[in-house]
Amino acid sequence: MSVNLPESLATFDTEYCADSLEFYPFNDTQRFLVGTYQLLKDGNAQANQEELTSSDATRVGRIYVCDAIDTDGGMRIIERQRIETSAIFDIKWSYNNVDGKHLAGVACADGSLAIYSANNQSDAEFLSPVCTNIASSMCCSLDWSNRRVSTSTPRVVTSYSDGQLQLLQLSESSLTEVCQWQGHDLEAWIAAFDYWTPDIVYSGGDDARLKGWDTRIGPHPVFNSRRHQAGVCSIQSNFHREHILATGSYDEHVFVWDTRNMRMPVQEYNVGGGVWRLKWHPNDATQLLVGAMYNGFHVLDVGEKVACSASFMDHTSIAYGADWCQAQKPGSEDMLVGTCSFYDHVVHVWRNPKE
């Protein structure tokens, strides 16, 4: 298979280091959120981020609300809103309405999981806070239970820098803890639901362990895999095909699993650079978007064999945040993709060509 090399259509400078990006999955729009993470020393946001350590700096962040606008000559990105926060590790939308609201969760370095509601009647005040849960260590990731089934009381799973995992329930605009347990010996970088059986939660940590948990039976893993050779950073259940799970690690490998047998992956692919983010295509069960840290962004075709169908290499720093746009341009089957990178604090939007 030949590898497509898409061109950047537009860029946006986030000023702070960028690490998460999520397209708004409603209303056929090209709107997206960007999360940033900056170390601030003596109030100076311009200090060299690669030389600072967290011990002598404050972690700050910012949420951007942006629109990717098609123009006669291509595309441009317009900032609509910015919200000052603690440093952000992760942003994820609830892909189903919750009591008629469009909600996004934001995981922050101050230990907070913040839930925001979208207001389509205002660009400048598109996001507004709903509720917050505070933990004692950095909140590294979150996931929503309701990707496939709508409910007025979805659950949210979070992971923390002290290895803890937490299951929360959202009801009537407040978060209530269902349970919390020690999942990993080191940082728990990622936690994710099995979208087909939301009682099952997967987690990955800096201890190089991939674990599965049945939240109905208590804090004992139903499997504890050591197949990855370094920290496990990304997990996503395939919401098109039951029993299919993708995981990624600092070891540079993407594994695809059949969750009925977690002893070994059914497929694997070395993307190089380390794997921070994995996103299944919104419409195609075989397309997987990969943020490969020190080796750009890639689209994998997960068929009988795994092959790379596209690579976007315009970022000059660590490739972290990535997402597919749910809206499609009229007359085109190419999918808009947004990606962001860290020290160069830049967002690119580009189109993944339809094979």
Side-chain angles (χ1 to χ4, degrees):
M1 174 184 288
S2 62
V3 178
N4 290 301
L5 300 173
E7 296 182 355
S8 178
L9 300 174
T11 63
F12 177 74
D13 184 354
T14 60
E15 300 175 2
Y16 290 175
C17 300
D19 62 8
S20 51
L21 188 149
E22 289 277 312
F23 275 97
Y24 180 52
F26 305 99
N27 295 9
D28 197 29
T29 178
Q30 294 178 169
R31 174 160 291 183
F32 60 90
L33 309 181
V34 184
T36 62
Y37 183 115
Q38 191 84 352
L39 293 176
L40 205 67
K41 185 175 183 180
D42 299 327
N44 179 17
Q46 304 306 315
N48 190 320
Q49 295 295 297
E50 297 185 68
E51 295 178 359
L52 285 177
T53 63
S54 57
S55 61
D56 62 5
T58 303
R59 298 179 181 91
V60 298
R62 186 179 290 155
I63 304 169
Y64 287 96
V65 179
C66 296
D67 286 327
I69 305 295
D70 289 298
T71 66
D72 291 339
M75 183 169 281
R76 61 192 177 108
I77 297 173
I78 299 175
E79 176 188 336
R80 300 298 191 187
Q81 183 185 10
R82 63 172 67 184
I83 301 171
E84 304 298 329
T85 65
S86 175
I88 294 169
F89 278 98
D90 194 15
I91 299 177
K92 287 192 176 76
W93 285 101
S94 164
Y95 275 73
N96 273 298
N97 294 342
V98 179
D99 284 336
K101 298 177 181 178
H102 300 162
L103 301 179
V106 180
C108 292
D110 65 356
S112 65
L113 167 67
I115 305 297
Y116 290 84
S117 178
N119 175 12
N120 286 301
Q121 304 304 311
S122 173
D123 287 337
E125 297 180 356
F126 176 70
L127 286 184
S128 59
V130 174
C131 59
T132 303
N133 179 77
I134 301 287
S136 59
S137 60
M138 294 187 293
C139 188
C140 299
S141 76
L142 76 127
D143 197 18
W144 295 84
S145 66
N146 59 341
R147 180 70 186 240
R148 297 190 66 255
V149 179
S150 181
T151 172
S152 61
T153 56
R155 291 186 170 187
V156 181
V157 65
T158 49
S159 67
Y160 297 91
S161 59
D162 62 358
Q164 292 275 317
L165 304 173
Q166 188 176 38
L167 187 64
L168 301 160
Q169 185 146 27
L170 180 66
S171 179
E172 296 181 353
S173 299
S174 66
L175 287 164
T176 303
E177 181 181 300
V178 177
C179 55
Q180 183 169 344
W181 68 100
Q182 189 70 38
H184 294 267
D185 295 332
L186 299 172
E187 291 91 341
W189 291 125
I190 188 72
F193 285 101
D194 185 313
Y195 295 134
W196 297 80
T197 309
D199 291 314
I200 302 297
V201 168
Y202 306 109
S203 66
D206 215 45
D207 53 7
R209 301 297 183 90
L210 169 66
K211 298 184 181 183
W213 312 87
D214 188 333
T215 59
R216 295 165 294 192
I217 62 175
H220 307 288
V222 294
F223 69 83
N224 182 354
S225 173
R226 304 182 187 181
R227 287 286 173 175
H228 280 295
Q229 300 301 303
V232 179
C233 311
S234 190
I235 302 171
Q236 194 178 46
S237 170
N238 189 317
F239 40 87
H240 302 292
R241 295 167 58 195
E242 192 174 5
H243 308 305
I244 301 300
L245 183 74
T247 65
S249 164
Y250 289 137
D251 68 8
E252 305 186 348
H253 283 80
V254 174
F255 288 165
V256 179
W257 306 79
D258 183 327
T259 58
R260 292 166 292 187
N261 180 0
M262 293 297 293
R263 286 177 292 181
M264 62 183 300
V266 294
Q267 293 173 304
E268 64 181 89
Y269 191 89
N270 188 333
V271 294
V275 181
W276 184 257
R277 190 60 73 226
L278 296 169
K279 296 283 185 70
W280 289 106
H281 191 288
N283 307 314
D284 187 334
T286 66
Q287 297 290 298
L288 183 64
L289 178 62
V290 182
M293 297 181 68
Y294 295 96
N295 194 37
F297 294 91
H298 308 278
V299 177
L300 300 184
D301 182 32
V302 185
E304 291 185 6
K305 295 182 178 180
V306 181
C308 182
S309 60
S311 294
F312 184 80
M313 306 299 290
D314 287 16
H315 290 271
T316 60
S317 183
I318 308 172
Y320 277 145
D323 200 18
W324 305 92
C325 180
Q326 305 291 306
Q328 282 190 274
K329 186 177 180 180
S332 173
E333 294 186 343
D334 297 348
M335 293 294 293
L336 185 67
V337 176
T339 50
C340 66
S341 47
F342 203 64
Y343 293 121
D344 59 353
H345 43 84
V346 69
V347 170
H348 284 272
V349 288
W350 46 279
R351 291 197 182 276
N352 181 56
K354 175 73 173 178
E355 290 293 320

